[in-house]
Amino acid sequence: MSRQATVSHPLCARLYAKQAEAAESKGLADQRRRMLVGLAGKVVEIGAGNGLNFGHYPSTVTAVSAFEPEPFLRTLADQAAENAPVAVSVGDAVAEDLPLGDASVDAAVTSLVLCSVNDLAMAVAELHRVVRPGGELRFNEHVASQHSLRRALQRTADATVWPTISGGCHLGRETGAALEDGGFHVERVERFDFSVSALDPKKTHLLGTARRV
């Protein structure tokens, strides 16, 4: 796989950027802050989107290698990096193939991205590869509902139109289990429902910390 794999969702990217900025005042900004508080050292962030996490990195973080394969969002992330309180470099790479050495970072950050990677298990394996043993994974991801009817509806949507109209997003992924299966031990997790806009279906989120085993 090319580390500069083409990922282009021009309409979805623009809608995402607009929705994400609007959702900051509805609680998303606080989720970002809580996700990143206390983080330290060298960090990789995958699927950085429009860079809204950058302003929440604490001063204990020495450098952030952020990757975003979608061109429109990567341009916005580049702009956000210029005003970040810590050093942030923005690159073009997919989560499944990161241009970083083994055990080269102290922590990884995933925020509303594992729903849309092409191969969830491969993306988690790549995070496990680049994070040092004992390092952290900070995450805020929407996952499959615990309610059977809603979960069934999510899986039907995932198997039909939803990924096509939403830039590859999947509503019903078991992301928490995928992290554990991929060599991360989940140490702390909050579960809550959240929607970024009236047009966005309410989703169950997991926000927490995992440790690289």
Side-chain angles (χ1 to χ4, degrees):
M1 180 184 296
S2 168
R3 282 179 175 156
Q4 294 186 330
T6 299
V7 176
S8 181
H9 301 292
L11 177 59
C12 288
R14 285 161 174 78
L15 290 173
Y16 172 84
K18 187 175 291 293
Q19 286 185 346
E21 291 180 358
E24 294 298 283
S25 63
K26 297 181 180 180
L28 191 54
D30 183 62
Q31 292 173 29
R32 298 182 195 279
R33 179 192 61 78
R34 289 187 287 119
M35 177 179 64
L36 298 175
V37 67
L39 200 59
K42 295 180 180 180
V43 176
V44 59
E45 179 178 341
I46 62 168
N50 49 345
L52 291 181
N53 284 328
F54 298 168
H56 297 277
Y57 278 103
S59 60
T60 45
V61 169
T62 57
V64 178
S65 297
F67 296 101
E68 173 51 57
E70 210 292 322
F72 176 77
L73 292 176
R74 189 169 61 253
T75 297
L76 297 181
D78 271 322
Q79 296 169 3
E82 294 177 1
N83 299 313
V86 300
V88 179
S89 63
V90 178
D92 176 9
V94 294
E96 298 92 336
D97 188 17
L98 298 173
L100 298 173
D102 295 355
S104 59
V105 297
D106 299 295
V109 171
T110 77
S111 177
L112 307 179
V113 61
L114 293 179
C115 61
S116 60
V117 297
N118 285 332
D119 189 319
L120 177 56
M122 186 178 294
V124 173
E126 189 70 342
L127 290 171
H128 189 271
R129 180 184 69 80
V130 302
V131 174
R132 64 170 174 79
E136 289 184 285
L137 171 63
R138 301 292 184 92
F139 57 90
N140 180 16
E141 299 288 346
H142 69 77
V143 299
S145 173
Q146 291 183 306
H147 302 286
S148 57
L149 177 58
R150 186 183 296 177
R151 185 167 61 250
L153 292 172
Q154 289 175 332
R155 289 175 177 170
T156 297
D158 287 347
T160 53
V161 299
W162 185 254
T164 300
I165 66 174
S166 61
C169 173
H170 294 75
L171 298 170
R173 283 185 168 172
E174 301 284 358
T175 303
L179 295 179
E180 292 276 2
D181 291 344
F184 289 94
H185 173 62
V186 177
E187 296 183 333
R188 176 187 62 85
V189 67
E190 303 174 39
R191 183 183 292 267
F192 55 91
D193 288 339
F194 185 74
S195 174
V196 300
S197 77
L199 298 176
D200 182 55
K202 185 174 289 187
K203 306 180 187 74
T204 298
H205 281 235
L206 296 182
L207 187 155
T209 301
R211 187 75 55 182
R212 196 274 207 192
V213 179

